[in-house]
Amino acid sequence: MSGTPVLVVTSPGSTLPEEFDAVRDVAEIICADNPADFRAGLKRTDVAYLWDCHTPLLRSEGPGELRWIHTNSVGLDAILIPEVVDSSIVVTNTRGVFEPPMAEWVLAALLHLVKDMRRTIESQRAVFWDHRAVHSIKGRRVLLLGPGGVGREIAHMLRAVGMDVDIVGRSARTDDELGPIHGLEDLDDLLSQADDVVVALPLTAQTRGILDADRIARLKPGAHLVNVGRGPLIDEPALVQALQDRRIAGAALDVFETEPLPAQSPLWAMENVLVSPHMSGDVIGWPRQSVKVFTDNLQRWRAGEPLANVVDKAGMAVTAR
């Protein structure tokens, strides 16, 4: 054990998994799951590892004299506060670990919805031979919101099975891999043309509530909505109403405005909704992969080498205000 200690932020009352032995082999770990321990840890190190990627501690207590913050996630909503964005603090994330399984989850969710698998499972349980025709995913038009790392994996996977994918980003451009990317000014028109809408955006000041009641009303009656971004991207009450009224066919949701999803939420019991407990990127073995991303970067940090997975804070600065 040598070099700079690492402040590891965990969720309240939790313990670190055994995969953190790889960090203990190379650094002293300072655990914090509450404001007092977090403030004490800030006095002893300039490196923080947000194992709890949703922690409110950075936002409530500030970054102190930290020089590097790493998050155990692709999303950055717990980190991109003004004190971090407007500073020299280096921010890195866990790109490369969660994106492929999230794309697999999106494909599985669309198959579940389009193939009406819930009705098939319920008919099996009722010992009912429910022969019927269902839709094909090949040729369906998907509107994908978010051309980042997650969206890129989703686009490749959905196109590989024959789906047509339109992509919306912050601004119109052409991507070498993805092809044309539409700007937000095209969103309203594209929503009305989509068979399925997949949301894979980060949560920022610009994207919060991007699918409001008016935009949800633009969806086709047979459309499906899949969200693997963040819950507040969508007006949840408006979505619930549209699903209850059958103005859209169904939804597969891995994220929600409040997590865990409250027991009184009508989403739990709706037959046209798939409720997933924010696990689309969590495949067996992910803690080991995630810790390795950090330990590899820690080695670079100590050697004075450029870090991998550095976040473009300037490009995301709008999120802090």
Side-chain angles (χ1 to χ4, degrees):
M1 182 187 302
S2 62
T4 304
V6 176
L7 174 59
V8 179
V9 181
T10 62
S11 55
S14 66
T15 58
L16 293 175
E18 62 181 15
E19 285 80 6
F20 263 81
D21 290 345
V23 181
R24 292 187 179 92
D25 288 343
V26 297
E28 176 191 358
I29 292 179
I30 307 168
C31 283
D33 66 357
N34 62 77
D37 288 349
F38 184 78
R39 290 192 297 269
L42 288 177
K43 297 177 181 179
R44 296 188 53 201
T45 184
D46 56 8
V47 175
Y49 183 0
L50 304 189
W51 184 249
D52 175 13
C53 58
H54 304 293
T55 180
L57 292 177
L58 191 65
R59 191 172 297 275
S60 65
E61 306 304 317
E65 300 301 319
L66 291 175
R67 296 171 55 216
W68 171 32
I69 302 173
H70 179 81
T71 179
N72 177 40
S73 66
V74 178
L76 302 163
D77 34 302
I79 294 180
L80 291 181
I81 59 176
E83 295 89 342
V84 173
V85 172
D86 297 331
S87 73
S88 61
I89 299 172
V90 179
V91 174
T92 59
N93 66 0
T94 316
R95 286 198 301 270
V97 173
F98 301 109
E99 296 93 330
M102 290 177 73
E104 294 174 353
W105 189 93
V106 169
L107 175 58
L110 286 171
L111 285 167
H112 172 88
L113 293 167
V114 174
K115 296 299 183 182
D116 199 16
M117 295 303 294
R118 177 165 185 162
R119 179 171 160 183
T120 299
I121 294 169
E122 290 175 346
S123 295
Q124 176 185 344
R125 290 173 177 167
V127 197
F128 175 56
W129 188 261
D130 188 16
H131 181 267
R132 66 201 186 281
V134 295
H135 293 284
S136 172
I137 63 169
K138 186 174 182 179
R140 288 181 71 88
R141 188 169 184 179
V142 177
L143 177 59
L144 172 62
L145 277 59
V150 175
R152 189 171 299 269
E153 291 286 341
I154 293 170
H156 289 322
M157 184 157 292
L158 299 188
R159 285 171 174 169
V161 296
M163 303 187 86
D164 298 323
V165 182
D166 295 316
I167 304 172
V168 170
R170 282 185 293 179
S171 58
R173 61 191 185 277
T174 299
D175 183 89
D176 290 342
E177 291 182 25
L178 299 179
I181 295 176
H182 298 269
L184 288 174
E185 64 275 7
D186 296 332
L187 178 56
D188 289 349
D189 289 338
L190 291 169
L191 283 169
S192 63
Q193 302 170 30
D195 297 309
D196 307 294
V197 177
V198 177
V199 183
L201 289 163
L203 180 61
T204 72
Q206 185 182 27
T207 62
R208 182 180 292 272
I210 192 168
L211 288 188
D212 56 16
D214 289 340
R215 283 179 168 154
I216 291 173
R218 291 178 178 271
L219 297 176
K220 291 180 178 180
H224 301 118
L225 180 60
V226 178
N227 188 7
V228 290
R230 287 290 186 267
L233 296 169
I234 299 175
D235 182 336
E236 196 166 285
L239 175 61
V240 168
Q241 193 64 56
L243 290 163
Q244 289 176 333
D245 295 344
R246 299 288 178 168
R247 287 189 278 111
I248 61 174
L253 308 172
D254 187 52
V255 288
F256 304 87
E257 286 187 357
T258 301
E259 296 181 4
L261 183 65
Q264 63 270 26
S265 170
L267 292 168
W268 284 109
M270 299 177 72
E271 64 178 17
N272 54 346
V273 176
L274 174 64
V275 171
S276 173
H278 204 145
M279 57 172 283
S280 63
D282 297 343
V283 292
I284 294 172
W286 75 261
R288 176 185 55 78
Q289 299 175 51
S290 185
V291 167
K292 187 176 188 306
V293 171
F294 174 74
T295 54
D296 286 350
N297 251 354
L298 183 60
Q299 183 177 356
R300 296 186 185 97
W301 177 259
R302 289 176 171 172
E305 299 173 355
L307 299 182
N309 291 4
V310 174
V311 174
D312 177 14
K313 293 192 302 178
M316 299 290 287
V318 67
T319 68
R321 296 174 175 80

